[in-house]
Coordinates of all heavy atoms in Angstrom, one line a residue:
M68 N 0.8 -1.2 0.0 CA 0.0 0.0 0.0 C 0.9 1.3 0.0 O 0.5 2.2 -0.6 CB -0.9 0.0 1.2 CG -1.9 1.1 1.2 SD -3.3 0.7 2.2 CE -4.0 2.3 2.4
L69 N 2.0 1.2 0.7 CA 2.9 2.3 0.7 C 3.4 2.6 -0.7 O 3.5 3.8 -1.1 CB 4.1 2.0 1.6 CG 5.2 3.1 1.7 CD1 4.6 4.3 2.3 CD2 6.3 2.6 2.6
Y70 N 3.7 1.5 -1.5 CA 4.1 1.7 -2.9 C 3.1 2.5 -3.7 O 3.4 3.3 -4.5 CB 4.4 0.4 -3.5 CG 4.8 0.4 -4.9 CD1 6.1 0.9 -5.3 CD2 3.9 0.1 -5.9 CE1 6.5 0.9 -6.6 CE2 4.3 0.2 -7.3 CZ 5.6 0.6 -7.6 OH 5.9 0.6 -8.9
A71 N 1.8 2.1 -3.5 CA 0.7 2.8 -4.2 C 0.6 4.3 -3.8 O 0.4 5.1 -4.7 CB -0.6 2.1 -3.9
V72 N 0.8 4.6 -2.6 CA 0.7 6.0 -2.1 C 1.9 6.8 -2.7 O 1.7 7.9 -3.2 CB 0.7 6.1 -0.6 CG1 0.9 7.5 -0.1 CG2 -0.5 5.4 0.0
V73 N 3.1 6.2 -2.7 CA 4.3 6.9 -3.2 C 4.1 7.1 -4.8 O 4.4 8.1 -5.3 CB 5.6 6.1 -2.9 CG1 6.7 6.6 -3.7 CG2 5.8 6.1 -1.5
S74 N 3.5 6.0 -5.4 CA 3.3 6.2 -6.9 C 2.3 7.2 -7.2 O 2.4 8.0 -8.1 CB 2.8 4.8 -7.4 OG 3.8 3.9 -7.4
F75 N 1.2 7.3 -6.3 CA 0.2 8.3 -6.5 C 0.7 9.7 -6.5 O 0.4 10.6 -7.3 CB -0.9 8.1 -5.5 CG -2.1 9.1 -5.6 CD1 -3.0 8.9 -6.6 CD2 -2.1 10.2 -4.8 CE1 -4.1 9.8 -6.7 CE2 -3.2 11.1 -5.0 CZ -4.2 10.9 -5.9
F76 N 1.6 10.0 -5.4 CA 2.0 11.4 -5.2 C 3.3 11.7 -6.1 O 3.4 12.9 -6.4 CB 2.4 11.6 -3.8 CG 1.1 11.7 -2.9 CD1 0.8 10.8 -2.0 CD2 0.3 12.8 -3.1 CE1 -0.4 10.9 -1.2 CE2 -0.9 12.9 -2.3 CZ -1.2 11.9 -1.4
F77 N 4.1 10.8 -6.4 CA 5.4 11.1 -7.1 C 5.6 10.6 -8.5 O 6.4 11.1 -9.2 CB 6.5 10.6 -6.2 CG 6.6 11.3 -4.8 CD1 6.3 10.5 -3.7 CD2 6.9 12.6 -4.7 CE1 6.3 11.1 -2.5 CE2 6.9 13.2 -3.5 CZ 6.6 12.5 -2.3
V78 N 4.8 9.6 -8.9 CA 5.0 9.1 -10.2 C 3.8 9.4 -11.1 O 3.9 10.2 -12.1 CB 5.1 7.5 -10.2 CG1 5.3 6.9 -11.6 CG2 6.3 7.2 -9.3
N79 N 2.6 8.8 -10.9 CA 1.5 9.0 -11.7 C 0.2 8.7 -10.9 O 0.1 7.7 -10.3 CB 1.6 8.0 -12.9 CG 0.5 8.2 -13.9 OD1 -0.5 8.9 -13.7 ND2 0.7 7.7 -15.1
K80 N -0.7 9.6 -11.0 CA -1.9 9.5 -10.1 C -2.7 8.2 -10.5 O -3.2 7.5 -9.7 CB -2.7 10.7 -10.2 CG -2.0 11.9 -9.7 CD -2.8 12.8 -8.9 CE -2.1 14.1 -8.4 NZ -1.0 13.8 -7.5
V81 N -2.9 8.0 -11.8 CA -3.7 6.9 -12.3 C -3.0 5.6 -11.9 O -3.7 4.6 -11.4 CB -3.9 6.9 -13.8 CG1 -4.6 5.7 -14.4 CG2 -4.7 8.2 -14.2
H82 N -1.7 5.5 -12.1 CA -1.0 4.3 -11.7 C -1.1 4.0 -10.2 O -1.3 2.9 -9.7 CB 0.5 4.4 -12.1 CG 1.3 3.2 -11.7 ND1 1.2 2.0 -12.3 CD2 2.3 3.1 -10.7 CE1 2.1 1.2 -11.8 NE2 2.7 1.8 -10.8
G83 N -1.0 5.1 -9.4 CA -1.2 4.9 -7.9 C -2.6 4.4 -7.5 O -2.7 3.5 -6.7
I84 N -3.6 4.9 -8.2 CA -5.0 4.4 -7.9 C -5.1 2.9 -8.3 O -5.7 2.1 -7.6 CB -6.0 5.3 -8.6 CG1 -6.0 6.7 -8.0 CG2 -7.4 4.6 -8.6 CD1 -6.8 7.7 -8.8
I85 N -4.6 2.6 -9.5 CA -4.6 1.2 -9.9 C -3.9 0.3 -8.9 O -4.3 -0.8 -8.6 CB -4.1 1.0 -11.3 CG1 -5.0 1.7 -12.3 CG2 -3.9 -0.4 -11.7 CD1 -4.5 1.8 -13.7
E86 N -2.8 0.7 -8.4 CA -2.0 -0.1 -7.5 C -2.8 -0.3 -6.2 O -2.6 -1.3 -5.5 CB -0.7 0.6 -7.1 CG 0.3 0.5 -8.2 CD 0.8 -0.9 -8.4 OE1 0.9 -1.6 -7.5 OE2 1.1 -1.2 -9.6
L87 N -3.7 0.6 -5.8 CA -4.5 0.4 -4.6 C -5.4 -0.8 -4.7 O -5.8 -1.3 -3.7 CB -5.3 1.7 -4.3 CG -4.5 2.8 -3.7 CD1 -5.3 4.1 -3.5 CD2 -3.9 2.4 -2.3
F88 N -5.8 -1.1 -6.0 CA -6.7 -2.3 -6.2 C -6.0 -3.6 -5.8 O -6.7 -4.6 -5.7 CB -7.2 -2.3 -7.6 CG -8.3 -1.3 -7.8 CD1 -8.0 -0.1 -8.5 CD2 -9.6 -1.5 -7.3 CE1 -9.0 0.8 -8.7 CE2 -10.6 -0.6 -7.6 CZ -10.3 0.6 -8.2
V89 N -4.7 -3.6 -5.6 CA -4.0 -4.8 -5.1 C -4.6 -5.3 -3.8 O -4.6 -6.5 -3.5 CB -2.5 -4.6 -5.0 CG1 -1.8 -5.7 -4.3 CG2 -2.0 -4.3 -6.4
I90 N -5.2 -4.4 -3.0 CA -5.7 -4.7 -1.7 C -6.9 -5.7 -1.9 O -7.2 -6.5 -1.0 CB -6.2 -3.4 -1.0 CG1 -5.0 -2.5 -0.7 CG2 -7.0 -3.7 0.3 CD1 -5.3 -1.2 -0.2
L91 N -7.6 -5.7 -3.0 CA -8.7 -6.6 -3.2 C -8.3 -8.0 -3.3 O -9.2 -8.9 -3.1 CB -9.4 -6.2 -4.5 CG -10.1 -4.8 -4.5 CD1 -10.6 -4.5 -5.9 CD2 -11.1 -4.6 -3.5
V92 N -7.0 -8.3 -3.5 CA -6.6 -9.7 -3.6 C -6.4 -10.3 -2.2 O -6.5 -11.5 -2.0 CB -5.2 -9.8 -4.3 CG1 -4.6 -11.1 -4.3 CG2 -5.4 -9.3 -5.8
Y93 N -6.3 -9.5 -1.2 CA -6.0 -10.0 0.2 C -7.1 -11.0 0.7 O -6.7 -12.0 1.2 CB -5.9 -8.8 1.1 CG -5.6 -9.2 2.5 CD1 -4.3 -9.6 2.9 CD2 -6.5 -9.1 3.6 CE1 -4.0 -10.0 4.1 CE2 -6.2 -9.5 4.8 CZ -4.9 -10.0 5.1 OH -4.6 -10.3 6.4
P94 N -8.4 -10.7 0.5 CA -9.3 -11.7 1.0 C -9.2 -13.1 0.3 O -9.4 -14.1 1.0 CB -10.7 -11.1 0.7 CG -10.5 -9.7 0.5 CD -9.1 -9.5 0.1
L95 N -8.8 -13.1 -1.0 CA -8.6 -14.4 -1.6 C -7.4 -15.1 -1.1 O -7.4 -16.3 -0.9 CB -8.5 -14.1 -3.1 CG -9.7 -13.6 -3.9 CD1 -9.4 -13.3 -5.3 CD2 -10.8 -14.6 -3.8
M96 N -6.4 -14.4 -0.8 CA -5.1 -15.0 -0.3 C -5.3 -15.5 1.1 O -4.7 -16.5 1.5 CB -4.0 -13.9 -0.3 CG -3.6 -13.5 -1.7 SD -3.0 -14.8 -2.7 CE -1.4 -15.1 -2.0
K97 N -6.2 -14.8 1.9 CA -6.5 -15.3 3.2 C -7.2 -16.7 3.2 O -7.1 -17.4 4.2 CB -7.4 -14.3 4.0 CG -6.7 -13.2 4.8 CD -5.7 -13.7 5.7 CE -6.2 -13.7 7.1 NZ -5.1 -14.0 8.0
R98 N -8.0 -16.9 2.2 CA -8.7 -18.2 2.1 C -7.8 -19.4 1.7 O -8.3 -20.5 1.9 CB -9.8 -18.1 1.1 CG -10.9 -17.1 1.6 CD -12.1 -17.2 0.7 NE -12.4 -18.6 0.5 CZ -13.6 -19.1 0.3 NH1 -14.6 -18.3 0.3 NH2 -13.8 -20.4 0.1
Y99 N -6.6 -19.2 1.3 CA -5.8 -20.2 0.8 C -5.3 -21.1 2.0 O -4.9 -20.6 3.0 CB -4.5 -19.7 0.1 CG -3.6 -20.7 -0.3 CD1 -4.0 -21.7 -1.3 CD2 -2.3 -20.8 0.1 CE1 -3.1 -22.7 -1.7 CE2 -1.4 -21.7 -0.3 CZ -1.8 -22.7 -1.2 OH -0.9 -23.7 -1.6
D100 N -5.5 -22.4 1.9 CA -5.3 -23.3 3.1 C -4.0 -24.1 2.9 O -3.7 -25.0 3.7 CB -6.4 -24.2 3.3 CG -6.7 -25.1 2.1 OD1 -6.0 -25.0 1.1 OD2 -7.7 -25.9 2.2
G101 N -3.2 -23.8 1.9 CA -1.9 -24.5 1.7 C -2.0 -25.8 0.9 O -0.9 -26.4 0.6
Q102 N -3.1 -26.2 0.5 CA -3.3 -27.4 -0.3 C -3.2 -27.1 -1.8 O -3.6 -26.0 -2.3 CB -4.6 -28.1 0.0 CG -4.7 -28.7 1.3 CD -6.0 -29.4 1.6 OE1 -7.0 -29.2 0.8 NE2 -6.0 -30.2 2.5
R103 N -2.5 -28.0 -2.5 CA -2.4 -27.8 -4.0 C -3.8 -28.1 -4.6 O -4.6 -28.9 -4.1 CB -1.4 -28.8 -4.5 CG 0.0 -28.4 -4.0 CD 1.0 -29.4 -4.7 NE 1.0 -29.0 -6.1 CZ 2.1 -29.2 -6.8 NH1 3.2 -29.8 -6.3 NH2 2.1 -28.9 -8.1
G104 N -4.0 -27.6 -5.8 CA -5.2 -27.8 -6.5 C -5.3 -29.2 -7.1 O -4.3 -29.9 -7.1
K105 N -6.5 -29.6 -7.5 CA -6.7 -31.0 -7.9 C -6.6 -31.1 -9.5 O -6.4 -32.2 -10.0 CB -8.1 -31.5 -7.5 CG -8.1 -31.6 -6.0 CD -9.5 -32.1 -5.6 CE -9.7 -32.3 -4.1 NZ -9.1 -31.3 -3.2
A106 N -6.6 -30.0 -10.2 CA -6.5 -30.1 -11.6 C -5.1 -30.1 -12.1 O -4.4 -29.1 -12.2 CB -7.2 -28.9 -12.2
K107 N -4.5 -31.3 -12.4 CA -3.1 -31.4 -12.8 C -2.9 -30.9 -14.2 O -1.8 -30.5 -14.5 CB -2.7 -32.9 -12.7 CG -2.9 -33.5 -11.4 CD -1.9 -33.0 -10.4 CE -2.1 -33.7 -9.0 NZ -1.5 -33.0 -8.0
W108 N -3.9 -30.9 -15.0 CA -3.8 -30.5 -16.4 C -3.6 -28.9 -16.5 O -3.0 -28.4 -17.4 CB -5.0 -30.9 -17.3 CG -6.3 -30.2 -16.8 CD1 -7.1 -30.7 -15.8 CD2 -6.8 -29.0 -17.1 NE1 -8.2 -29.9 -15.6 CE2 -8.0 -28.8 -16.4 CE3 -6.4 -28.0 -18.0 CZ2 -8.8 -27.6 -16.5 CZ3 -7.2 -26.8 -18.1 CH2 -8.3 -26.7 -17.4
L109 N -4.0 -28.2 -15.4 CA -3.9 -26.8 -15.5 C -2.5 -26.3 -15.5 O -2.2 -25.3 -16.1 CB -4.6 -26.2 -14.2 CG -5.1 -24.8 -14.3 CD1 -6.0 -24.6 -15.5 CD2 -5.8 -24.4 -13.0
K110 N -1.5 -27.0 -14.9 CA -0.1 -26.7 -14.9 C 0.4 -26.7 -16.4 O 1.0 -25.7 -16.8 CB 0.7 -27.7 -14.1 CG 2.2 -27.5 -14.2 CD 2.9 -28.4 -13.3 CE 3.3 -29.7 -14.0 NZ 4.2 -30.5 -13.3
W111 N 0.0 -27.7 -17.1 CA 0.5 -27.8 -18.5 C -0.2 -26.8 -19.4 O 0.4 -26.3 -20.3 CB 0.3 -29.2 -19.1 CG 1.2 -30.2 -18.3 CD1 0.8 -31.1 -17.4 CD2 2.6 -30.2 -18.4 NE1 1.9 -31.7 -16.9 CE2 3.0 -31.2 -17.5 CE3 3.5 -29.6 -19.2 CZ2 4.4 -31.6 -17.4 CZ3 4.9 -29.9 -19.1 CH2 5.3 -30.9 -18.2
F112 N -1.4 -26.4 -19.1 CA -2.1 -25.4 -19.8 C -1.3 -24.1 -19.7 O -1.1 -23.4 -20.7 CB -3.5 -25.2 -19.3 CG -4.2 -24.0 -19.8 CD1 -4.7 -24.0 -21.1 CD2 -4.4 -22.8 -19.1 CE1 -5.3 -22.8 -21.7 CE2 -5.0 -21.7 -19.6 CZ -5.5 -21.7 -20.9
F113 N -0.9 -23.7 -18.5 CA -0.2 -22.5 -18.4 C 1.2 -22.5 -18.9 O 1.8 -21.5 -19.4 CB -0.2 -22.0 -16.9 CG -1.5 -21.4 -16.5 CD1 -2.3 -22.1 -15.7 CD2 -1.9 -20.2 -17.0 CE1 -3.6 -21.6 -15.3 CE2 -3.1 -19.7 -16.6 CZ -4.0 -20.4 -15.8
Y114 N 1.9 -23.7 -18.9 CA 3.2 -23.9 -19.6 C 3.1 -23.6 -21.1 O 4.0 -23.1 -21.7 CB 3.7 -25.3 -19.4 CG 4.4 -25.5 -18.1 CD1 4.4 -26.8 -17.5 CD2 5.1 -24.5 -17.4 CE1 5.0 -27.1 -16.3 CE2 5.7 -24.8 -16.2 CZ 5.6 -26.0 -15.7 OH 6.3 -26.3 -14.5
I115 N 1.9 -23.9 -21.7 CA 1.7 -23.6 -23.1 C 1.2 -22.2 -23.3 O 1.6 -21.5 -24.2 CB 0.8 -24.7 -23.7 CG1 1.5 -26.0 -23.7 CG2 0.4 -24.3 -25.1 CD1 0.5 -27.2 -24.0
Y116 N 0.3 -21.8 -22.5 CA -0.4 -20.5 -22.7 C 0.5 -19.3 -22.6 O 0.5 -18.4 -23.4 CB -1.5 -20.3 -21.7 CG -2.1 -19.0 -21.6 CD1 -3.0 -18.6 -22.6 CD2 -1.8 -18.0 -20.7 CE1 -3.5 -17.3 -22.6 CE2 -2.3 -16.8 -20.7 CZ -3.2 -16.4 -21.6 OH -3.7 -15.1 -21.6
Y117 N 1.4 -19.3 -21.5 CA 2.3 -18.2 -21.3 C 3.2 -17.8 -22.5 O 3.1 -16.7 -23.0 CB 3.1 -18.4 -20.0 CG 3.9 -17.1 -19.7 CD1 3.2 -16.0 -19.1 CD2 5.2 -17.1 -19.9 CE1 3.9 -14.9 -18.8 CE2 6.0 -15.9 -19.6 CZ 5.3 -14.8 -19.0 OH 6.0 -13.7 -18.8
P118 N 4.0 -18.8 -23.0 CA 4.8 -18.4 -24.2 C 3.9 -18.1 -25.4 O 4.3 -17.3 -26.2 CB 5.7 -19.5 -24.4 CG 5.2 -20.6 -23.5 CD 4.3 -20.1 -22.5
A119 N 2.8 -18.8 -25.6 CA 2.0 -18.6 -26.8 C 1.4 -17.2 -26.8 O 1.3 -16.6 -27.8 CB 0.8 -19.7 -26.8
H120 N 0.9 -16.7 -25.6 CA 0.3 -15.4 -25.7 C 1.4 -14.3 -25.9 O 1.1 -13.3 -26.5 CB -0.5 -15.1 -24.4 CG 0.2 -14.4 -23.3 ND1 1.0 -15.0 -22.4 CD2 0.2 -13.1 -23.0 CE1 1.5 -14.1 -21.6 NE2 1.0 -12.9 -21.9
L121 N 2.6 -14.5 -25.5 CA 3.7 -13.6 -25.8 C 4.0 -13.6 -27.3 O 4.3 -12.5 -27.9 CB 4.9 -13.9 -25.0 CG 4.8 -13.7 -23.5 CD1 6.1 -14.2 -22.8 CD2 4.5 -12.3 -23.2
V122 N 3.9 -14.7 -27.9 CA 4.2 -14.8 -29.4 C 3.1 -14.1 -30.1 O 3.3 -13.3 -31.0 CB 4.2 -16.3 -29.8 CG1 4.2 -16.4 -31.4 CG2 5.5 -16.9 -29.3
V123 N 1.8 -14.2 -29.7 CA 0.7 -13.5 -30.3 C 0.8 -12.0 -30.1 O 0.6 -11.3 -31.1 CB -0.7 -14.0 -29.7 CG1 -1.8 -13.2 -30.2 CG2 -0.9 -15.5 -30.1
I124 N 1.2 -11.6 -29.0 CA 1.4 -10.2 -28.7 C 2.5 -9.6 -29.6 O 2.4 -8.5 -30.2 CB 1.7 -9.9 -27.2 CG1 0.4 -10.1 -26.4 CG2 2.2 -8.5 -27.0 CD1 0.6 -10.1 -24.9
G125 N 3.6 -10.4 -29.7 CA 4.7 -10.0 -30.6 C 4.3 -9.9 -32.1 O 4.7 -9.0 -32.8
I126 N 3.5 -10.8 -32.5 CA 3.0 -10.8 -33.9 C 2.1 -9.6 -34.1 O 2.2 -8.9 -35.1 CB 2.3 -12.1 -34.3 CG1 3.3 -13.3 -34.3 CG2 1.5 -11.9 -35.6 CD1 2.6 -14.6 -34.5
I127 N 1.3 -9.3 -33.2 CA 0.4 -8.1 -33.3 C 1.3 -6.8 -33.3 O 1.0 -5.9 -34.1 CB -0.6 -8.0 -32.1 CG1 -1.6 -9.1 -32.3 CG2 -1.3 -6.7 -32.0 CD1 -2.5 -9.3 -31.1
R128 N 2.3 -6.8 -32.5 CA 3.2 -5.6 -32.5 C 3.9 -5.4 -33.9 O 4.0 -4.3 -34.4 CB 4.3 -5.7 -31.4 CG 5.1 -4.4 -31.3 CD 6.4 -4.6 -30.6 NE 7.3 -5.5 -31.2 CZ 8.2 -5.2 -32.1 NH1 8.2 -3.9 -32.6 NH2 9.0 -6.0 -32.6
I129 N 4.4 -6.6 -34.4 CA 5.0 -6.5 -35.7 C 4.0 -6.0 -36.8 O 4.4 -5.2 -37.7 CB 5.6 -7.8 -36.1 CG1 6.8 -8.1 -35.2 CG2 6.0 -7.9 -37.6 CD1 7.4 -9.5 -35.3
I130 N 2.8 -6.5 -36.7 CA 1.8 -6.1 -37.7 C 1.5 -4.6 -37.6 O 1.3 -3.8 -38.5 CB 0.5 -6.9 -37.5 CG1 0.7 -8.3 -38.0 CG2 -0.7 -6.3 -38.3 CD1 -0.4 -9.3 -37.7
M131 N 1.4 -4.1 -36.3 CA 1.0 -2.7 -36.1 C 2.2 -1.7 -36.4 O 2.0 -0.7 -36.9 CB 0.6 -2.5 -34.7 CG -0.8 -3.1 -34.4 SD -1.3 -3.0 -32.7 CE -1.5 -1.2 -32.5
Y132 N 3.4 -2.1 -35.9 CA 4.5 -1.1 -36.0 C 5.7 -1.6 -36.9 O 6.6 -0.8 -37.1 CB 5.2 -1.0 -34.6 CG 4.2 -0.5 -33.6 CD1 3.7 -1.3 -32.6 CD2 3.7 0.9 -33.6 CE1 2.8 -0.8 -31.6 CE2 2.8 1.3 -32.7 CZ 2.4 0.5 -31.7 OH 1.5 1.0 -30.8
G133 N 5.6 -2.7 -37.5 CA 6.6 -3.2 -38.4 C 7.7 -3.9 -37.6 O 7.5 -4.2 -36.4
D134 N 8.8 -4.2 -38.2 CA 9.8 -5.0 -37.6 C 10.9 -4.2 -36.9 O 11.9 -4.7 -36.6 CB 10.4 -6.0 -38.7 CG 11.1 -7.2 -38.0 OD1 10.9 -7.4 -36.8 OD2 11.9 -7.8 -38.7
T135 N 10.6 -3.0 -36.7 CA 11.6 -2.1 -36.0 C 11.5 -2.3 -34.5 O 10.3 -2.3 -34.0 CB 11.5 -0.6 -36.4 OG1 10.2 -0.2 -36.1 CG2 11.7 -0.5 -37.9
P136 N 12.6 -2.3 -33.8 CA 12.4 -2.4 -32.3 C 11.9 -1.1 -31.7 O 12.2 0.0 -32.1 CB 13.9 -2.7 -31.8 CG 14.7 -2.2 -32.9 CD 14.0 -2.3 -34.2
I137 N 11.1 -1.3 -30.7 CA 10.5 -0.1 -30.0 C 11.4 0.1 -28.7 O 11.4 -0.8 -27.9 CB 9.1 -0.3 -29.6 CG1 8.2 -0.5 -30.9 CG2 8.5 0.8 -28.8 CD1 6.8 -0.9 -30.6
L138 N 12.0 1.2 -28.6 CA 12.8 1.5 -27.5 C 12.1 2.4 -26.5 O 11.6 3.5 -26.9 CB 14.2 2.1 -27.9 CG 15.0 1.3 -28.9 CD1 16.2 2.1 -29.3 CD2 15.4 0.0 -28.2
F139 N 12.1 2.1 -25.3 CA 11.4 2.9 -24.3 C 12.3 3.7 -23.5 O 13.3 3.3 -23.1 CB 10.5 2.0 -23.4 CG 9.4 1.4 -24.1 CD1 9.4 0.1 -24.5 CD2 8.2 2.1 -24.5 CE1 8.4 -0.5 -25.2 CE2 7.2 1.5 -25.1 CZ 7.3 0.2 -25.5

C-alpha cells in the first residue's frame, strides 16, 4: 500500500490508484489453506499459454509497428 501511495504522489496518479486495487486480492489470499489444486492439467495449460500469448502479442506488434524495435 505504501508503494501505491508513493506512486500516486510522485509518479502517476492513475498508476497509484490502480495499485491500490491490489488490496482486493487480500481476502482471496487469506482463504488459501496451503493445499495444492486438484486439476493437474492446469499446470500444462499455463506452460503452453504463457509463451503462446507472448508470441501472439509479438505478432500483433510487428503487424502494427513493423519489424523495428521499440525503445522505451
Side-chain angles (χ1 to χ4, degrees):
M68 187 161 162
L69 179 62
Y70 178 75
V72 171
V73 170
S74 292
F75 181 80
F76 287 112
F77 298 109
V78 178
N79 185 345
K80 301 222 182 289
V81 174
H82 180 70
I84 291 170
I85 291 171
E86 286 293 324
L87 283 174
F88 284 103
V89 170
I90 296 170
L91 297 176
V92 173
Y93 184 72
L95 294 174
M96 296 299 287
K97 269 310 253 189
R98 292 189 48 147
Y99 179 61
D100 61 358
Q102 292 182 340
R103 294 183 69 153
K105 293 178 177 46
K107 302 291 183 197
W108 63 270
L109 203 54
K110 176 176 92 170
W111 293 106
F112 170 76
F113 284 107
Y114 278 150
I115 294 168
Y116 171 77
Y117 185 74
H120 96 278
L121 292 177
V122 168
V123 169
I124 291 171
I126 291 170
I127 292 171
R128 186 196 65 83
I129 290 172
I130 290 170
M131 289 177 65
Y132 300 109
D134 200 16
T135 59
I137 297 175
L138 302 174
F139 294 102

